[in-house]
Amino acid sequence: MNALAKQPSILVVDDEPHLRNSLCSLLGYHGYPSSAADGGKSAMEALNSKSFELILLDLCMPGIDGHQVMDWIIEKQLDTCIIVVSGDTSVDSAISALRYGACDFLRKPYETDELVLKIENALAKQRLEKENKLINQQLKESERWYRYMVNSSPDFIYTLDADGYCTFCNDRVKSLLGYDKKDVIGKHFSTFIHAEDIDAAQYVIQERRTGDRAASNIEIRIPHGTESTLLTLEFNSFGIYDESDDAISPRYIGTYGVAKDITERKKAAELIMYQAYHDLLTGLANRKLFKDRLELAIAQAKRYKHALALMFLDLDRFKVVNDTLGHVIGDNLLIEVAARLKNCVREGDTLARQGGDEFTLLLPQVDNREGVTRTADKIIKAFGAPFLIDGHELYVPMSIGIALYPEHGDTIDTLIKNADIAMYDSKAKGRNRYQIYSPSMNVTFDDRFSLEIQMHKALERDEFQVVYQPQINIATGKISGMETLLRWASPLLGNLSPLEFIPLAEETGLIIPISEFVLRSAFTQAKLWKHAGLLPERIAVNISSRHLEQDNFVDFIAQLLREYELAGSMFEMEITESMLLNDGNHIVEKLHMISDMGIKIALDDFGTGYSSLSYLKKFPINTIKIDQSFMPGFSGDSSNESIVTAICTMAQGMNLKLIAEGVEKADQYRLLYALQCNEAQGFLFSKPLSGHEITELLIKDNPLGPQNLRSQHCFNS
């Protein structure tokens, strides 16, 4: 027994040094001596030279992986316990590991307490198994040892007579099942079986067969004797025969059986199965379960000649909530959304979360369109009421697309695709509504899809072009800055303005590589102008909200300044008011970090959104740009003139630079001059030009003063 009392040694097998070392340190802290192996080959070498009571084994490793190590251990018949510690979250991986002989499975990242508990349980189980093995050997020599083994077994051991009445049970009956021996012996086995399992137990517990034909690993539920819990036991039973009888066939006299408590293992397996088929945040079905249910529904619809409906649901404005109030409130909102949707559907319908703020709903049997639209109307109406989340009153309408079987498709993928197309059509027509799919919607969807594909190719083929439009000092008539603008000359689609492709680029995330291209182009041009002595006061670049929200955005800008050896004061970043609405302290912090580099911050399209003096005070804004929508009729429209006058007065009072966009006429220029607006840009001075053309303009640096501009109709190179 001294060998069993020794402190168990543990082998940690993981190809990631940080995880391997931290795990060894953790084991040492808890008093377990450990060794480390950086892969499958090292693990085998370590096991060849030393025995380990326990192995903490990673599955996914280069070279020899965890499964091969377990195969090798089985082949070598090594007496060691294995706990798989893996980052693979699939249920198949866990099941495979357990089938390979692992005693437990732990997912990365794990809680320390969970790891220590699993180690203690595994070592305790191993110690018990070794003790039982040792006791087994001794019981061969003595009946006393036999009794000891039976009553010390962690499993429930019993015998029944030929009629199914208990004739013997070990002491485990009390600690495991909560019954005293005296209350069990003499009673029929059915007394202790869950009512729904009695029929199955009839052929398992009262087994008449022996050898390989005997019942094994059969799960039966038994209510606990003193607690309101239901245990799951795994039964192995064998028939007992009186072979001393002279009859040709031995007489059946009863059953011998062993039952193992697998309640916790069963719960763990059920949890793994639940997690594999459900969204953990909302508790709804996930994509996999939804597709399984849809596949079954289609098969039944084909068989019984009835229709079904599939809805694709998408929350409107969820991204604004998530970005503005944070992911915790966003998650709580999704939980409440799921609960509200559940109240709108029937029993038998399948509601699933596809991911993000997208949901799907399967109505497996519908009689007509009216029944489907009633459900859609019910959802739209339900989402007209606000959600109260952590003190915030949030309105998140729902856009719904509907596809019907078999009218709109007879396969899973076709129905999902067409419902998705209908949902996008719903968004395009105003949101907070539903649309039933029609083939005409494919044209719009295909156009979007084609445009996205062409944008990917445009990045690869350098089809995007950066142009520059000069900004003019109104007092001197000289060029004071350049705004960097983007154009796309597509061989397939022709020349496209940003308004035609930027919204889709924002939606798909392609705006990030496009924005990086624009920034690098601007920095390259700035360096060329600097070396030529032609650099204007600043170069303005429009910044995408999605790019600004990236964690590495500030580092990217700092890297560009170092890489091109340029000062931050040469540049101005233009942001929109909608970006300020997505507030969050992280946006404020990023803009201050950019400002600290010397880069100016300009607020673009001022006056068209949610203009607020609080934004101008809270954010490090240096410049505001009067939106070009105020310029048409500026010199004759009293309302536009009043707005521009108010903006100019406000900017002067707050010591902010002011730039007017879209200036096309000399009388507009003269009025801006009278209002002491600082700068202007527009076709009156120059259209956007390529880098080469704008360089020629800088060389000429046409120093037209305000007197000349007031008497001319244009200023164009």
Side-chain angles (χ1 to χ4, degrees), residues 128-141:
L128 190 56
E129 289 174 351
K130 288 184 177 180
E131 289 171 0
N132 284 342
K133 185 177 181 180
L134 181 61
I135 292 168
N136 229 346
Q137 296 171 350
Q138 294 171 334
L139 285 176
K140 292 178 182 179
E141 303 172 0

Side-chain angles (χ1 to χ4, degrees), residues 137-374:
Q137 296 171 350
Q138 294 171 334
L139 285 176
K140 292 178 182 179
E141 303 172 0
S142 169
E143 174 65 19
R144 178 175 62 87
W145 288 114
Y146 171 77
R147 286 287 179 184
Y148 178 80
M149 180 195 72
V150 170
N151 288 320
S152 299
S153 171
D155 303 327
F156 171 55
I157 300 175
Y158 65 92
T159 59
L160 305 177
D161 66 15
D163 296 321
Y165 289 87
C166 182
T167 57
F168 168 81
C169 64
N170 65 345
D171 294 341
R172 184 71 168 130
V173 69
K174 178 65 176 178
S175 58
L176 176 60
L177 303 181
Y179 295 98
D180 290 327
K181 273 189 176 184
K182 61 182 178 60
D183 297 325
V184 175
I185 295 176
K187 299 287 182 64
H188 195 271
F189 73 86
S190 60
T191 307
F192 309 98
I193 304 298
H194 187 271
E196 295 178 3
D197 292 351
I198 287 179
D199 289 343
Q202 182 73 34
Y203 301 99
V204 174
I205 296 180
Q206 202 172 1
E207 177 61 84
R208 291 174 176 265
R209 294 168 297 185
T210 60
D212 294 338
R213 297 178 63 247
S216 62
N217 302 328
I218 307 300
E219 298 176 8
I220 302 293
R221 292 172 294 174
I222 295 181
H224 194 276
T226 58
E227 301 173 4
S228 59
T229 57
L230 195 62
L231 304 173
T232 301
L233 273 62
E234 186 179 79
F235 280 83
N236 292 273
S237 301
F238 307 89
I240 303 174
Y241 289 85
D242 183 3
E243 296 183 354
S244 63
D245 199 324
D246 293 335
I248 297 176
S249 299
R251 179 173 59 90
Y252 170 72
I253 59 174
T255 303
Y256 163 78
V258 179
K260 181 187 297 292
D261 181 15
I262 60 168
T263 306
E264 294 304 318
R265 190 176 81 189
K266 188 76 174 176
K267 288 180 180 178
E270 289 173 353
L271 178 60
I272 291 172
M273 188 63 68
Y274 178 86
Q275 292 175 340
Y277 287 97
H278 291 82
D279 172 57
L280 299 185
L281 177 65
T282 62
L284 299 179
N286 62 11
R287 290 185 182 186
K288 182 173 178 57
L289 180 56
F290 183 81
K291 282 194 170 185
D292 288 347
R293 297 265 180 90
L294 179 56
E295 183 178 24
L296 177 61
I298 291 174
Q300 291 178 335
K302 285 181 179 178
R303 180 176 181 180
Y304 297 108
K305 309 296 183 185
H306 63 70
L308 64 83
L310 188 152
M311 294 187 187
F312 208 104
L313 308 96
D314 185 87
L315 289 176
D316 298 328
R317 298 186 69 252
F318 175 74
K319 185 179 186 302
V320 174
V321 173
N322 216 27
D323 292 343
T324 304
L325 300 178
H327 293 285
V328 173
I329 290 180
D331 286 347
N332 290 337
L333 175 60
L334 288 173
I335 293 170
E336 293 300 320
V337 165
R340 192 171 290 187
L341 283 172
K342 287 179 184 178
N343 291 331
C344 297
V345 302
R346 309 165 302 179
E347 185 177 357
D349 296 341
T350 296
L351 178 65
R353 183 185 176 203
Q354 292 290 302
D357 60 350
E358 294 180 334
F359 299 83
T360 48
L361 174 61
L362 168 64
L363 308 181
Q365 185 171 352
V366 295
D367 298 325
N368 48 51
R369 288 195 176 198
E370 287 73 19
V372 179
T373 57
R374 275 198 303 271

Side-chain angles (χ1 to χ4, degrees), residues 468-472 478-482 525-526 528-530 532-539 686 689-703 715 717:
Y468 302 88
Q469 187 171 38
Q471 296 168 332
I472 307 301
K478 298 184 67 174
I479 295 174
S480 55
M482 292 286 178
Q525 188 64 67
L528 291 173
W529 284 336
K530 177 184 176 184
L534 297 171
L535 190 66
E537 292 179 20
R538 70 187 178 282
I539 298 176
S686 173
L689 300 172
S690 67
H692 174 72
E693 293 171 316
I694 208 72
T695 299
E696 292 182 353
L697 186 61
L698 284 170
I699 293 172
K700 292 162 63 175
D701 193 16
N702 215 338
F715 171 30
S717 64

Side-chain angles (χ1 to χ4, degrees), residues 415-435:
L415 286 170
I416 291 177
K417 184 192 77 171
N418 289 342
D420 194 20
I421 291 173
M423 185 272 293
Y424 275 107
D425 188 73
S426 173
K427 283 184 176 291
K429 291 179 177 176
R431 303 172 182 263
N432 193 31
R433 55 184 291 152
Y434 67 83
Q435 285 292 116

